[in-house]
C-alpha cells in the first residue's frame, strides 16, 4: 500500500499520511537529486531552470487527491507535529542547536519533520547536506566537540551504517576516552525499523545494535508525548543520543495534555511508562509495537486476561526496575520487538528478569520478535516477517496457560 503526501502541494500538510514516498518515488527522488547536482555544476547554482528534487518528484506524480486531516482539537497531536514542535522550541531556546541532513531544509524534510524550520532559522542552522552520511555525521560530531548541539537526521537509520564509525568511535567513546573532558551533545534521529514495501536494506531495526554500545543513549518513542518529551530531553542531554522514530507512526494522532504542550516539558530518559496496568501478564514493547501490545491487551481483557503493557521508551538505559516490578506482580512476561530475535532487546529483558526476578516467574518467558531473515519485499511475506497483534495474543495465552493444545485445535 503506497502512502503519499498531497501531490498538489507536498509541503502543505504536516498531518498527512505517515510515509510520504512509495519506493519507486524514493528512487525517483534520488535520481532527480543526482541530476540536479550535475546540472547545477554545468549551468550555475543560480539558474532558474533547476528543479529541487522535491519539485522534480511532483512532475512524476499525477495532480490530485485529497489529503487526510487529523483532529484540530487542542489536545490532539500527530507524532510528526510533536517532533517538529520539539525541534522548533529547542532551536528557539538555544542558539547552539542546529539541524543537518539530506533535504531537511529546502524540501522541509523527507517526512516533513523539519517543516518550516529553514524559513524560521535560516541556512546556517538548517543545513542541507549531500548524500554522504559518513561526511556530514563526522562534521556533526566535530561540531559537538566544540560545544554546538547538532541534530543529525538520517533519511532512514539503515543509512546510518555508512556513518557508524563516527557514531560509535567518535561520539560514543569520546567522553570516556577524554576522562570526561569532552562532552558530545549530539542527537542522531530518523525513522527506524520496518516501513512498507521498501525491502531489506530499508527495513531493519537498529535498537539492539545501538543499545549494545556504552556511551550512547538510545530512545524509541511511541506516542506524541514520547516523541515531543524525549526529543527535547535528547537535545538537552550532554551525551550522544540515538533517537529511533518510526515512519509509520509519523501521521498517527495521540491525545496530549497541557503539561506536554508546555515548552518546559521533557520526558525522563531511562524511564519506561506503564501504558496499561494489569495483573496476569507483563508485555514489554517499544515504538510501533506498543500500539500492537495495547490492541492485544484489549482482546485479552475480553477473555479474562489482564495484561500490563510497558512502553520501554528508553532502550539504553533500560528501565529494569519498572520491568522487574511488573513481573513480580504478574508473574509472567512477554517481550515484543520488530528486530531480529538473536541478541535482541527482548533477550536483554529476559536476562534481566531471570537474574533479578526468576523466583517470581510462574511460566516460561515468551519472546515475540521479527523473523530471523532479511526483510522480504513482497507484502504478504513482509507481514509474516514482523510481529502481529495475534502473535502477542497467542504468546500471552501460552504464558497464562490458556493456549489451545495443537491436538485439540485440529
Amino acid at each position: 500500500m503506497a502512502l503519499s503526501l498531497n501531490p498538489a502541494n507536498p509541503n502543505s500538510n504536516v498531518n498527512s499520511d505517515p510515509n510520504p514516498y512509495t519506493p519507486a518515488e524514493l528512487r525517483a527522488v534520488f535520481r532527480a537529486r543526482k541530476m540536479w547536482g550535475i546540472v547545477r555544476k554545468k549551468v550555475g547554482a543560480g539558474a532558474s531552470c533547476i528543479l529541487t528534487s522535491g519539485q522534480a518528484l511532483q512532475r512524476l506524480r499525477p495532480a490530485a487527491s485529497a489529503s487526510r486531516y487529523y483532529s484540530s482539537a487542542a489536545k490532539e497531536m500527530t507524532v510528526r507535529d510533536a517532533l517538529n514542535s520539539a525541534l522548533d522550541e529547542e532551536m528557539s531556546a538555544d542558539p547552539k542547536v542546529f539541524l543537518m541532513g539530506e533535504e531537511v531544509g529546502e524540501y522541509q524534510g523527507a517526512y516533513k519533520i523539519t517543516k518550516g524550520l529553514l524559513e524560521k532559522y535560516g541556512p546556517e542552522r538548517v543545513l542541507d547536506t549531500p548524500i554522504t552520511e559518513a561526511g556530514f555525521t563526522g562534521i556533526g560530531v566535530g561540531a559537538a566537540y566544540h560545544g554546538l548541539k547538532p541534530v543529525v537526521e538520517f533519511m532512514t537509520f539503515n543509512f546510518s551504517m555508512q556513518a557508524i564509525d563516527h557514531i560509535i568511535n567518535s561520539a560514543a567513546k569520546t567522553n570516556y576516552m577524554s576522562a570526561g573532558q569532552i562532552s558530545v551533545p549530539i542527537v542522531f534521529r530518523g525513522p527506524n525499523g520496518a516501513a512498507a514495501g521498501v525491502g531489506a536494506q530499508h527495513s531493519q531495526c537498529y535498537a539492539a545494535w545501538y543499545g549494545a554500545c556504552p556511551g550512547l543513549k538510545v530512545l524509541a518513542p511511541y506516542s506524541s508525548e514520547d516523541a515531543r518529551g524525549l526529543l527535547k530531553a535528547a537535545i538537552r542531554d550532554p551525551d550522544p543520543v540515538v533517537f529511533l522514530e518510526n515512519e509509520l507512526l509519523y501521521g498517527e494522532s495521540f491525545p496530549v495534555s497541557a503539561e506536554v504542550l508546555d515548552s518546559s516539558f521533557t520526558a525522563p530518559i531511562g524511564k519506561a511508562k506503564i501504558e496499561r496496568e494489569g495483573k496476569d501478564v507483563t508485555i514489554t514493547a517499544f515504538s510501533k509495537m506498543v500500539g500492537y501490545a495495547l490492541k492485544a491487551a484489549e482482546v485479552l481483557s475480553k477473555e479474562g486476561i489482564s495484561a500490563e503493557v510497558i512502553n520501554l521508551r528508553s532502550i539504553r538505559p533500560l528501565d529494569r526496575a519498572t520491568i522487574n516490578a511488573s513481573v513480580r506482580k504478574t508473574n509472567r512476561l512477554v517481550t515484543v520487538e520488530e528486530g531480529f530475535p538473536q541478541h535482541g532487546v527482548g533477550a536483554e529483558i529476559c536476562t534481566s528478569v531471570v537474574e533479578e526476578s526468576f523466583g517470581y516467574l510462574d511460566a516460561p518467558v515468551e519472546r515475540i520478535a521479527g523473523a530471523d531473515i532479511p526483510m522480504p519485499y513482497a507484502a504478504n511475506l513482509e507481514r509474516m516477517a514482523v510481529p502481529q497483534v495475534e502473535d502477542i495474543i497467542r504468546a500471552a495465552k501460552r504464558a497464562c496457560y490458556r493456549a489451545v493444545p495443537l491436538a485439540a485445535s485440529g
Side-chain angles (χ1 to χ4, degrees), residues 157-276:
F157 253 94
N158 296 267
F159 299 163
S160 74
M161 292 296 96
Q162 300 291 327
I164 198 166
D165 177 52
H166 289 302
I167 298 172
I168 304 300
N169 285 325
S170 301
K173 299 177 182 178
T174 295
N175 185 260
Y176 175 82
M177 294 178 69
S178 68
Q181 296 180 77
I182 301 176
S183 294
V184 191
I186 187 169
V187 177
F188 307 101
R189 56 153 296 271
N192 171 70
V198 292
Q201 293 178 326
H202 299 76
S203 293
Q204 192 166 320
C205 176
Y206 288 93
W209 285 54
Y210 288 117
C213 184
L216 291 178
K217 292 174 182 176
V218 183
L219 307 179
Y222 161 61
S223 65
S224 299
E225 176 182 327
D226 292 348
R228 181 171 157 79
L230 289 173
L231 184 54
K232 289 170 74 70
I235 293 171
R236 298 179 189 185
D237 199 274
D239 297 315
V241 179
V242 172
F243 198 85
L244 304 173
E245 300 155 13
N246 187 283
E247 178 182 333
L248 300 179
L249 285 176
Y250 283 149
E252 292 293 320
S253 187
F254 294 87
V256 290
S257 65
E259 178 190 5
V260 172
L261 294 173
D262 189 275
S263 61
S264 64
F265 172 77
T266 60
I269 293 175
K271 183 64 179 173
K273 180 182 179 183
I274 298 177
E275 296 283 352
R276 178 182 178 127

Side-chain angles (χ1 to χ4, degrees), residues 27 48 60 81-82 84 95 103 108 112 119 146 171 177 193 205 207 215 255 273 297 318 332 336 355 360 377 390:
R27 289 192 290 271
S48 60
L60 299 172
D81 284 344
N84 179 269
E103 298 197 334
Q108 309 201 54
K112 302 300 174 243
E119 181 180 2
H146 286 272
M177 294 178 69
C205 176
K273 180 182 179 183
L318 186 65
R332 294 169 175 84
V336 187
E355 289 174 345
Y360 291 84
Y377 175 76
E390 52 265 32

Side-chain angles (χ1 to χ4, degrees), residues 268-317:
I269 293 175
K271 183 64 179 173
K273 180 182 179 183
I274 298 177
E275 296 283 352
R276 178 182 178 127
E277 294 191 355
K279 59 183 179 62
D280 295 328
V281 58
T282 297
I283 303 175
T284 66
F286 60 94
S287 191
K288 188 169 181 281
M289 290 295 107
V290 176
Y292 282 27
L294 289 169
K295 290 177 181 177
E298 186 63 31
V299 173
L300 290 166
S301 69
K302 296 175 182 176
E303 301 187 30
I305 297 175
S306 174
E308 181 150 293
V309 177
I310 297 178
N311 173 8
L312 296 176
R313 302 202 293 189
S314 180
I315 306 302
R316 185 181 187 105

Side-chain angles (χ1 to χ4, degrees), residues 9 42 49 75 109 151 186 200 285 323 340 408:
N9 184 355
K42 290 185 176 180
C49 63
K75 294 189 177 181
V151 179
I186 187 169
I323 295 167
F340 302 135

